């Protein structure tokens, strides 16, 4: 009797088909949390991570872990969410910008009216002075005639988590070096994070720098939230910084502070030559650098940018018959004399774009369209230096500060709420 005979088929019924795993069977084989964390930390954007965490309870548990979030924030810079004006509040990114949903969530969760701050001195009001890494620095400015104000109340806050730290006054023994002197200009600003935070304490630590540009010298103080004290950086005369660099009897030598790869750059005032002032925030040392010799344009038409591989770049805006042309110069070895022309970005379609400053590898542009009117709120756009894509963020005042942060579910406080 063969295997194919009718008798054999009656005695030996056919084998059942192989069993397929259904959804219930797959649910019995959970992915370990450690593997999920390795997958999630490689998601390209914080918005993608928020979507993944909403898929199920187990995903949300992994994403909510503090150590995972610290690791994710170390690898992914916070996205640009909108702009914060000195007096006008927060203008969130609008659709179709990829950060629009996160910006809306932050706008609802944060207090950009700063009602949680203590009131400043009488006849003063809080004014936004700088914005970095989710922190906002505000100064108590007189309601009338604020011209010439040098030292005033200062607070650093986290509007998303409603935390703040009042900065102490600069001690008399430090301020005595400038007593009776009036700077040509002075500024106070936040130092960007170093990018190596690993503990909660370090995530809430920050530094603030006060710089006074005087007629014959540069005075600098640094505040650390870790020590809660101000420290003076060695005072330098302009000739200390560079032989032949003359003092100014009219105005400051440098203006338009920029930040690139751990250094602040002050661009040259067009009236006083072409040198740039540089502050290395790791060493807290000043130096003088020279931009490329070729571009001879107004300082308003140049900006620093991160050119990749840790090398600073300089973007020069010129006007051609078909529109704006951006030329990128790259510093190849850190020496001020080693600038090379990297690329030329062809004219962009349309007109009305005005170079503002940079954020990492992106340029920030004001766009008024065909009619230029500084009284109107322009569209604020970004230009990706790699893809050359221009993307509209929102409409805001020309004087507003870029605000970057993570969505509320992925963020943590950036300011300690401890008092003195």
């Amino acid at each position: 009797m063969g295997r194919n005979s009718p008798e054999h088929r009656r005695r030996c019924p056919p084998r059942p088909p192989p069993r397929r795993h259904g959804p219930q069977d797959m649910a019995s084989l959970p992915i370990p949390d450690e593997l999920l964390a390795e997958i999630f930390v490689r998601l390209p954007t914080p918005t993608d991570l928020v979507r993944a965490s909403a898929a199920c309870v187990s995903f949300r548990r992994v994403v909510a872990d503090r150590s995972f979030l610290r690791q994710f924030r170390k690898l992914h810079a916070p996205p640009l969410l909108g702009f914060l004006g000195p007096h006008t509040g927060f203008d969130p990114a609008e659709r179709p910008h990829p950060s629009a949903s996160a910006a809306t969530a932050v706008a609802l969760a944060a207090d950009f009216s700063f009602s949680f701050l203590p009131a400043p001195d009488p006849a003063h009001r809080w004014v936004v002075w700088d914005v970095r890494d989710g922190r906002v620095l505000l100064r108590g400015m007189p309601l009338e005639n604020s011209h010439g104000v040098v030292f005033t109340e200062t607070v650093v806050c986290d509007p998303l988590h409603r935390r703040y730290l009042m900065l102490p006054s600069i001690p008399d023994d430090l301020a005595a070096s400038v007593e009776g002197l009036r700077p040509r200009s002075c500024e106070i600003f936040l130092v960007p994070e170093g990018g190596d935070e690993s503990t909660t304490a370090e995530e809430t630590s920050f530094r603030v720098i006060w710089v006074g540009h005087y007629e014959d010298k540069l005075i600098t103080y640094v505040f650390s939230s870790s020590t809660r004290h101000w420290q003076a950086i060695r005072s330098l005369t302009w000739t200390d910084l560079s032989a032949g660099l003359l003092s100014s009897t009219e105005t400051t030598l440098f203006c338009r502070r920029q930040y690139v790869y751990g250094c602040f750059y002050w661009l040259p005032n067009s009236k006083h030559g072409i040198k740039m002032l540089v502050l290395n925030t790791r060493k807290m040392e000043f130096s003088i650098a020279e931009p490329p010799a070729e571009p001879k344009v107004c300082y308003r038409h140049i900006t620093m940018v991160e050119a990749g591989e840790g090398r600073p770049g300089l973007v020069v805006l010129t006007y051609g018959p078909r529109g704006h042309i951006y030329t990128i110069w790259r510093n190849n070895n850190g020496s001020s004399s080693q600038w090379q022309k990297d690329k030329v970005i062809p004219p962009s379609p349309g007109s009305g774009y005005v170079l503002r400053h940079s954020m990492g590898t992106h340029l920030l542009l004001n766009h008024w369209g065909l009619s230029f009117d500084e009284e109107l709120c322009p569209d604020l756009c970004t230009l990706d230096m790699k893809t050359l894509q221009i993307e509209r963020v929102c409409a805001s005042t020309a004087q507003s500060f870029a605000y970057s942060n993570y969505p509320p579910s992925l963020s943590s406080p950036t300011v300690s709420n401890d008092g003195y």
Side-chain angles (χ1 to χ4, degrees), residues 188-203:
I188 186 168
F189 50 92
L190 291 157
V191 180
E193 296 175 347
D196 58 351
E197 292 75 21
S198 59
T199 68
T200 302
E202 290 171 338
E203 286 189 328

Side-chain angles (χ1 to χ4, degrees), residues 127-144:
V127 177
V128 174
W129 216 256
D130 195 20
V131 179
R132 293 273 183 186
D133 305 316
R135 303 181 184 95
V136 180
L137 185 149
L138 302 98
R139 299 180 73 193
M141 302 299 292
L143 296 175
E144 298 180 1

Side-chain angles (χ1 to χ4, degrees), residues 78 80 83 304-306 357-364 382 402 404:
L80 174 63
F83 292 84
M304 299 297 297
V305 69
E306 294 182 355
H357 57 82
S358 67
M359 285 184 58
T361 59
H362 289 71
L363 294 181
L364 290 182
T382 59
S404 298

Side-chain angles (χ1 to χ4, degrees), residues 9 121 160 178 213:
R9 288 195 296 270
D121 288 340
L160 180 56
V178 295
H213 299 249

Side-chain angles (χ1 to χ4, degrees), residues 6 44 50-51 72 76 85 100 140 150 166 215 227 234-235 242 245 256 317 352 360 364:
V50 171
R51 293 194 186 103
F72 184 86
H76 302 269
V150 178
M166 295 292 300
E215 179 179 338
T227 64
R234 186 171 70 92
S235 175
S242 177
L245 187 63
R256 294 189 65 223
L317 170 64
L364 290 182

